[in-house]
Amino acid sequence: MALNLSSRAARTACAASKIAARPIATVIPSRTYATSPEENQHDKPRWSYTPSQAKAPFSLHLHSKRPAFHVNSDPVLLDRFYIRLFGNGGDQVLSEETKWLAVTHKSFDQGRRGYNDRLAFLGKRIVQLQASLALAQNVPAAAQGTSPAEKDEFGRVPFTHAALDGLNNLSSETKKVLTERAKLAELAEKYDLQKVVRWSPKRPDDLRASGIELVLANTLYAVIGAVSLEKGGLVANQIARERILDPLGIKSVS
């Protein structure tokens, strides 16, 4: 029995020495991968190209009869739009990448260069809030069309205050009429937004049927959202009042 135990211990010690002699890790020789020209051009702006990793191996519209739709790629033309919207120096308000992102719809390039949905969500809330504040402060407009209150049979008098006189203006229907999609799209066209918005219409020969009004309205909201993120809420509120609500006829009281 003692002989068997000693031989087993010897085999165990021999196996342990072999394991210890093995290298813990091996060095894998480095591989070189071919890179596309786009990946080598690190100085190329992100908005100007589609990442090679996001491209399909073949085009799904190879034999499409759909007419081509021109999308702006000229930074000078884009800067002119921001100057019309913000005024002198408007092309310096946002960073270069954000300026392009704010005017990019998710239909453009299959959304592979980024799109402005989240910016539009934020900008719409800012515009709607400023519209509510302007309507609440517009006391003369609130007084129009109001009927005198009937006398209460118990002689009760409702509480009144000058700060509450404009609350009758606050309704979803009032804001919907004043900030409806068609009016925002018409205002966006006055700023020449349709010349720089990046999108891919379903019917390039009929932009209205493709939903250009919705695209322009959301893009206008996205610009306000972009200003809020980069310049803060005070600047975004001021631009929303002066450049969107005032032209729509919603005057705020300073």
Side-chain angles (χ1 to χ4, degrees):
M1 178 66 68
L3 180 61
N4 292 336
L5 292 176
S6 61
S7 61
R8 183 181 302 175
R11 289 196 300 269
T12 303
C14 181
S17 63
K18 290 181 180 180
I19 294 175
R22 295 177 184 176
I24 296 177
T26 57
V27 178
I28 301 176
S30 60
R31 301 178 182 179
T32 57
Y33 298 93
T35 57
S36 63
E38 294 176 350
E39 294 174 346
N40 293 329
Q41 297 177 357
H42 297 289
D43 57 341
K44 198 172 184 178
R46 173 65 180 82
W47 58 266
S48 62
Y49 70 96
T50 303
S52 58
Q53 297 87 345
K55 292 182 180 180
F58 56 88
S59 176
L60 298 177
H61 303 285
L62 184 60
H63 302 291
S64 175
K65 298 181 180 179
R66 177 183 174 187
F69 182 75
H70 172 72
V71 177
N72 174 59
S73 59
D74 185 5
V76 176
L77 189 60
L78 182 66
D79 288 342
R80 290 175 183 172
F81 157 72
Y82 282 108
I83 292 174
R84 289 190 187 94
L85 179 60
F86 298 146
N88 293 332
D91 55 329
Q92 304 296 326
V93 174
L94 300 174
S95 62
E96 192 69 21
E97 192 66 37
T98 305
K99 286 192 293 186
W100 288 98
L101 181 63
V103 298
T104 303
H105 187 256
K106 60 184 176 182
S107 63
F108 175 71
D109 197 19
Q110 306 296 323
R112 294 177 293 188
R113 305 190 198 183
Y115 48 90
N116 59 10
D117 272 12
R118 294 184 179 183
L119 294 178
F121 180 85
L122 174 60
K124 184 175 182 178
R125 298 303 176 273
I126 294 174
V127 174
Q128 293 290 341
L129 173 60
Q130 294 304 312
S132 298
L133 294 175
L135 290 174
Q137 295 170 354
N138 196 346
V139 178
Q144 294 178 1
T146 57
S147 57
E150 297 181 359
K151 293 184 179 180
D152 186 74
E153 58 179 335
F154 299 102
R156 294 173 296 184
V157 179
F159 174 77
T160 59
H161 192 277
L164 304 177
D165 290 342
L167 292 182
N168 292 332
N169 263 352
L170 291 181
S171 68
S172 58
E173 291 300 324
T174 303
K175 288 193 297 183
K176 183 178 179 181
V177 171
L178 295 176
T179 61
E180 62 180 351
R181 182 188 307 169
K183 291 185 177 180
L184 285 173
E186 183 179 356
L187 177 62
E189 290 179 354
K190 293 181 180 179
Y191 292 128
D192 285 344
L193 178 56
Q194 73 280 3
K195 295 181 180 180
V196 298
V197 63
R198 302 200 298 177
W199 70 305
S200 180
K202 184 177 181 180
R203 296 176 55 184
D205 56 340
D206 192 348
L207 298 183
R208 187 165 298 277
S210 300
I212 189 174
E213 286 187 351
L214 178 60
V215 172
L216 291 178
N218 284 343
T219 303
L220 206 57
Y221 286 138
V223 173
I224 300 299
V227 174
S228 176
L229 289 179
E230 291 203 346
K231 297 300 180 181
L234 292 178
V235 179
N237 292 337
Q238 181 180 358
I239 293 177
R241 291 192 300 266
E242 296 179 357
R243 302 298 181 176
I244 295 181
L245 296 179
D246 284 356
L248 292 178
I250 307 177
K251 302 294 183 180
S252 59
V253 178
S254 57

